[in-house]
Amino acid sequence: MTERIPLFLLTGFLGSGKTTLLNYLVKQPAFANTLVIINELGDISLDHLLVSRSSEEQVVQLSSGCICCSIRGDLAKTLRDISWRFARNGQRQFDQVIIETTGLAAPGSIIHTVMAEPKIASQFRLQGVIVTVDAVNGLNTLARHREAQQQVAVADILLLSKTDLAPPASQAALSKQLAVLNPQAQQLIAVQGEIDPTILLALDHIEPQGSTTSLAQWLNTSRFSTDLSEPALLSPQSAASVHASPIQSHVFIIDSPIPFARFEQWLNAMVQQMAPNMLRIKGILHIAGFPGPMVIHGVQHIFHPAEFMSSWPDTDKRSRLVFITDGISREQLAQSLTQFGLVT
C-alpha cells in the first residue's frame, strides 16, 4: 500500500477507438485488477455493460474482475479517495488505474491534476499517455480541432485505429503529420483495439526510475533530425502543415556544463513567461559539478522534483532539452536560453 500506483492516461478524439481499446485491455491478464475511471459525459458501453451517467459517480464490477468508476464530477477528489474506497481489510482491490477521457479533453489538465496535487502525486505514478488516432479521419480531425492536436502532442504512444479502412497514402500522410506534432511518440497500429499489453506496461516516460540505461529511451530524441539542434526534417507538405499549427516540438542541445544557479534562474523565468503554453518539457542536463545528469520533466508550470542520476548512460554528456509548445516559437525558446547564457 506504500508504493505509488501505476496510472495510465487514455485519450483520443471522438470516435478514434478509445473504448474499443479499453474493452480489449481489461480482458487481458496483464490488466487484471485494474480500476478504470471514465471521465466524460454521456453513456458508454463496455461489452454490453452500460455505464450510466445518471448519477455523479457510479461504480460497476466488470466481468474481467476490473472495476469501472464512471464520474462526471471532480477527478481529483476521485483519485484522492479511491485507494480507501476500493479496499478490503486494508488492502486495495486494484493494481493500476486507467483514466479514459472524453474525446474533447485537453489532456494537459488531467496530467496537471496527477502531477500537481501532492496527495495524488504521492499515491499515483503517471506511467504514460496513450492516444488513439483514427486513420480514416485523423488528418481532417487534426486540421480542424485543437483538442486533437494537443492530445497527439503529449502522447507517449500513438495508436492508429481503422487502418484497414484507410488508403495507404492517407495513412502515410497521417503518420508524417503525427511525427511533426510529436516526433518522440511511438506510433503503433491497433486492429480492433488489439495491442500487446506489455508495450503499455513498459511505459515509463513520465518519470525515469533512476536507471541511466533508460534515459535515452525516455527522452527519445532519435525521431528528430540528425542534427538535434534543428527541428524535425520532414517533407515540404508536412513542414507546411506544422507551420500552420501552433503546436510544435523542439530540441535544443547544450554542449557545455550548466551552472545550477543559472539553470534555476532560467527555469523560473520560463515558467513565469511561457508556462500556460508549455505542453511538455523534458530534459537530461549536464549540471556543472555533478557526475551524472539531472533529469527534469514538466507540464505547464508543474515540474517533478529534479532527479540526479549517478552516471551518464553513454559517452554523450551534452544537455538535451525537448519542448512541446502551443504557440511558442523556436525563436522565443532560443532567445530565452540565450538570455540566461545556456546557449550561445
Side-chain angles (χ1 to χ4, degrees), residues 11-84:
T11 188
F13 203 72
L14 300 169
S16 62
K18 296 186 299 298
T19 304
T20 302
L21 173 65
L22 191 58
N23 276 327
Y24 176 77
L25 288 178
V26 297
K27 297 175 185 175
Q28 306 308 306
F31 278 91
N33 301 320
T34 297
L35 176 65
V36 178
I37 299 177
I38 300 176
N39 186 34
E40 65 174 322
L41 300 177
D43 291 337
I44 272 200
S45 176
L46 288 175
D47 282 344
H48 312 294
L49 177 61
L50 190 65
V51 181
S52 173
R53 302 295 150 73
S54 58
S55 60
E56 182 72 6
E57 188 169 322
Q58 186 164 349
V59 178
V60 179
Q61 186 77 24
L62 303 180
S63 59
S64 63
C66 296
I67 302 168
C68 180
C69 178
S70 163
I71 65 169
R72 55 184 299 185
D74 186 351
L75 175 63
K77 182 180 184 301
T78 299
L79 289 172
R80 286 192 297 265
D81 294 347
I82 57 175
S83 288
W84 63 263

Side-chain angles (χ1 to χ4, degrees), residues 90-138:
Q91 298 293 318
R92 69 170 182 268
Q93 299 300 296
F94 58 93
D95 299 325
Q96 57 217 352
V97 174
I98 298 176
I99 299 177
E100 182 194 6
T101 77
T102 173
L104 295 174
S109 61
I110 297 178
I111 297 173
H112 182 275
T113 295
V114 177
M115 291 175 58
E117 296 210 14
K119 187 173 181 180
I120 295 175
S122 66
Q123 289 188 71
F124 298 95
R125 176 185 173 84
L126 182 55
Q127 296 294 116
V129 182
I130 303 139
V131 177
T132 53
V133 181
D134 180 344
V136 176
N137 302 303

Side-chain angles (χ1 to χ4, degrees), residues 79-317:
L79 289 172
R80 286 192 297 265
D81 294 347
I82 57 175
S83 288
W84 63 263
R85 286 189 59 201
F86 303 109
R88 294 178 185 172
N89 301 319
Q91 298 293 318
R92 69 170 182 268
Q93 299 300 296
F94 58 93
D95 299 325
Q96 57 217 352
V97 174
I98 298 176
I99 299 177
E100 182 194 6
T101 77
T102 173
L104 295 174
S109 61
I110 297 178
I111 297 173
H112 182 275
T113 295
V114 177
M115 291 175 58
E117 296 210 14
K119 187 173 181 180
I120 295 175
S122 66
Q123 289 188 71
F124 298 95
R125 176 185 173 84
L126 182 55
Q127 296 294 116
V129 182
I130 303 139
V131 177
T132 53
V133 181
D134 180 344
V136 176
N137 302 303
L139 278 174
N140 183 54
T141 299
L142 289 172
R144 297 180 59 186
H145 298 280
R146 285 285 297 280
E147 298 92 344
Q149 296 177 19
Q150 292 175 344
Q151 291 164 359
V152 168
V154 300
D156 294 304
I157 289 182
L158 293 166
L159 292 182
L160 276 64
S161 64
K162 307 178 186 177
T163 53
D164 55 323
L165 303 176
S170 298
Q171 186 174 326
L174 173 61
S175 181
K176 285 188 176 182
Q177 181 62 64
L178 295 175
V180 169
L181 289 170
N182 188 343
Q184 291 183 299
Q186 183 180 7
Q187 295 186 31
L188 301 173
I189 293 175
V191 179
Q192 297 299 317
E194 296 186 10
I195 184 174
D196 182 353
T198 61
I199 295 175
L200 306 186
L201 291 173
L203 275 175
D204 186 25
H205 287 190
I206 303 302
E207 302 172 57
Q209 298 191 43
S211 170
T212 56
T213 58
S214 66
L215 281 181
Q217 180 182 2
W218 177 77
L219 196 61
N220 198 13
T221 55
S222 61
R223 290 185 172 86
F224 287 81
S225 65
T226 303
D227 182 356
L228 295 180
S229 62
E230 296 297 331
L233 299 178
L234 295 165
S235 67
Q237 181 179 2
S238 295
S241 62
V242 74
H243 289 305
S245 170
I247 297 177
Q248 298 189 38
S249 298
H250 309 280
V251 171
F252 285 85
I253 305 298
I254 302 173
D255 293 323
S256 302
I258 301 170
F260 186 67
R262 189 181 300 172
F263 170 75
E264 280 195 315
Q265 291 171 350
W266 168 79
L267 185 61
N268 290 333
M270 186 276 295
V271 167
Q272 292 179 11
Q273 297 171 9
M274 304 180 184
N277 300 98
M278 189 66 66
L279 298 181
R280 202 163 179 181
I281 176 174
K282 298 164 69 174
I284 299 174
L285 305 177
H286 187 167
I287 302 297
F290 290 85
M294 184 177 77
V295 180
I296 65 165
H297 177 258
V299 174
Q300 294 181 322
H301 65 280
I302 300 299
F303 280 78
H304 280 290
E307 180 179 0
F308 280 93
M309 302 296 185
S310 59
S311 62
W312 286 83
D314 51 39
T315 58
D316 186 356
K317 296 184 178 181

